[in-house]
């Protein structure tokens, strides 16, 4: 099942996409809950929620897509260096001030992005030439947690997954290198495109799902979830060991090789660039870069 958060005639709604993904039917959700997107669905109890206006679905051409969770309740959990070839390209780039090893990490590397940097499909990514001259892209499968849990063992971890979406972990590489910690370089305004929609857990085969990114129609990243160094159950076990996970929490699982910093010379983003990210069961997340 594909679920979208969107604006229709000035009102925010959350609804289910049709099988052909050409229309969406809204849930019967109070306006204050709908404004929260999927967070409102979790608060309202999806299992008990009815669809309304089923006879008159909204055509996609009539709506404005929002991020599935327009404002996450907490920082987004992000995983660094979770594809082997990306570990190598980043280490050799000279931008990893903390570690230049090309070996796979022994444990998941966890950092975060601020909720306020989330934007929707189609919303511009702002590049400030003074702050972000070395602007990069990272396509990632993002896990959406569906129920509260702590100290979750791997064997039970998938029971806590509601579904998935796409995240572009936009990064200012120069800031990332200068400050050695990643939050500033990862959390500038507009640095977390999310969407276009969310898909329930049964819609993704973690053993074989492509994760791809094109820049101006040039295929740059062509990975697969079967290449993850630490899989989703391992990530959930690691994060939840001492941190309670809540419905609506998001875990971005890492990016495959092919980011701009990995080329010689680097291929950083500039105003006018079109970024197209695709994880087929979810759809296409597309954003353009603009100057500040």
């Amino acid at each position: 099942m594909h679920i979208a958060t969107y604006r229709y005639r000035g009102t925010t709604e959350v609804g289910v996409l049709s099988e052909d993904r050409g229309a969406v039917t809204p849930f019967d959700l109070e306006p204050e809950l709908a404004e929260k997107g999927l967070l409102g669905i979790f608060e309202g109890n999806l299992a008990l929620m009815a669809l309304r206006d089923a006879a008159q679905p909204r055509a996609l051409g009539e709506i404005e897509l929002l991020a599935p969770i327009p404002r996450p309740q907490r920082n987004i959990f992000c995983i660094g260096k979770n594809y082997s070839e990306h570990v190598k390209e980043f280490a050799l780039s000279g931008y990893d001030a903390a570690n230049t090893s090309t070996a796979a990490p022994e444990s998941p590397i966890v950092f975060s992005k601020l909720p306020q940097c989330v934007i929707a499909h189609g919303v511009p990514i702002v590049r400030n030439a003074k702050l972000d001259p070395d602007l990069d892209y990272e396509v990632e499968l993002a896990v959406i947690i569906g129920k509260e849990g702590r100290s979750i063992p791997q064997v039970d971890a998938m029971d806590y997954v509601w579904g998935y979406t796409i995240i572009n972990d936009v990064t200012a590489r120069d800031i990332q290198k200068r400050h050695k910690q990643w939050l500033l370089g990862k959390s500038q305004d507009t640095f977390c495109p999310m969407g276009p929609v969310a898909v329930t857990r049964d819609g993704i085969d973690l053993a074989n799902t492509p994760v791809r990114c094109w820049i101006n129609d040039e295929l740059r990243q062509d990975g697969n979830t079967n290449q993850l160094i630490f899989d989703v159950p391992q990530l959930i076990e690691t994060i939840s060991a001492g941190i309670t996970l809540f419905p609506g929490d998001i875990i971005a699982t890492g990016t495959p090789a092919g980011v701009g910093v990995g080329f010689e010379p680097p291929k950083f983003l500039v105003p006018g660039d079109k970024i197209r990210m695709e994880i087929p069961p979810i759809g296409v997340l597309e954003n353009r870069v603009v100057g500040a």
Side-chain angles (χ1 to χ4, degrees):
M1 180 167 57
H2 293 74
I3 293 183
T5 303
Y6 58 93
R7 192 167 288 116
Y8 176 72
R9 297 181 179 176
T11 300
T12 299
E13 297 180 335
V14 185
V16 179
L17 268 67
S18 59
E19 289 190 11
D20 64 2
R21 305 191 197 181
V24 59
T25 301
F27 289 107
D28 191 8
L29 195 61
E30 293 297 324
E32 61 271 18
L33 291 179
E35 290 286 343
K36 299 180 180 181
L38 279 177
L39 289 179
I41 291 290
F42 296 142
E43 291 181 26
N45 192 342
L46 177 60
L48 301 177
M49 210 165 292
L51 297 174
R52 61 181 168 87
D53 299 338
Q56 294 182 320
R58 290 82 163 97
L60 286 195
E62 298 179 307
I63 69 172
E64 175 193 354
L65 283 171
L66 305 176
I69 301 177
R71 184 65 72 241
Q73 60 192 343
R74 302 203 291 183
N75 283 18
I76 296 161
F77 296 100
C78 301
I79 309 301
K81 304 180 184 178
N82 204 21
Y83 287 77
S84 294
E85 292 304 310
H86 176 60
V87 173
K88 296 175 185 176
E89 69 176 356
F90 190 37
L92 297 173
S93 73
Y95 277 79
D96 188 358
N99 187 352
T100 58
S101 172
T102 59
E106 294 181 0
S107 300
I109 298 171
V110 185
F111 60 96
S112 72
K113 295 175 81 80
L114 297 180
Q116 289 77 10
C117 67
V118 170
I119 59 173
H121 167 82
V123 175
I125 297 165
V126 179
R127 173 184 179 266
N128 185 324
K130 294 181 180 179
L131 288 176
D132 316 317
D134 299 347
L135 190 63
D136 214 343
Y137 53 88
E138 295 188 2
V139 59
E140 307 202 8
L141 176 72
V143 178
I144 301 171
I145 297 299
K147 68 176 182 178
E148 182 177 333
R150 187 176 186 274
S151 300
I152 303 166
Q154 291 185 42
V155 66
D156 297 328
M158 294 307 296
D159 292 339
Y160 291 80
V161 175
W162 176 87
Y164 305 91
T165 190
I166 304 171
I167 276 181
N168 182 354
D169 181 17
V170 181
T171 306
R173 295 295 184 194
D174 44 335
I175 295 177
Q176 182 184 32
K177 180 179 181 180
R178 185 183 319 127
H179 292 279
K180 298 180 176 60
Q181 296 291 333
W182 295 357
L183 186 137
L184 281 180
K186 300 278 191 175
S187 295
Q188 303 289 302
D189 293 347
T190 73
F191 274 23
C192 190
M194 179 193 299
V197 299
V199 62
T200 47
R201 183 178 65 205
D202 58 345
I204 292 282
D205 177 10
L206 292 175
N208 183 27
T209 292
V211 179
R212 300 189 182 106
C213 175
W214 291 258
I215 305 297
N216 301 325
D217 301 322
E218 176 192 357
L219 180 62
R220 296 273 186 90
Q221 294 182 272
D222 190 7
N224 193 291
T225 52
N226 61 27
Q227 299 166 346
L228 289 167
I229 298 170
F230 303 104
D231 63 17
V232 170
Q234 289 175 293
L235 299 178
I236 291 174
E237 181 181 72
T238 297
I239 295 169
S240 73
I243 297 174
T244 300
L245 291 175
F246 295 100
D249 281 345
I250 300 166
I251 303 171
T253 59
T255 198
V259 298
V261 78
F263 290 89
E264 182 58 46
K267 295 183 177 182
F268 292 125
L269 297 167
V270 297
D273 282 345
K274 179 180 71 174
I275 307 167
R276 181 179 187 270
M277 299 184 161
E278 181 181 26
I279 298 178
I282 302 170
V284 172
L285 174 65
E286 190 171 293
N287 303 81
R288 286 189 178 271
V289 180
V290 299

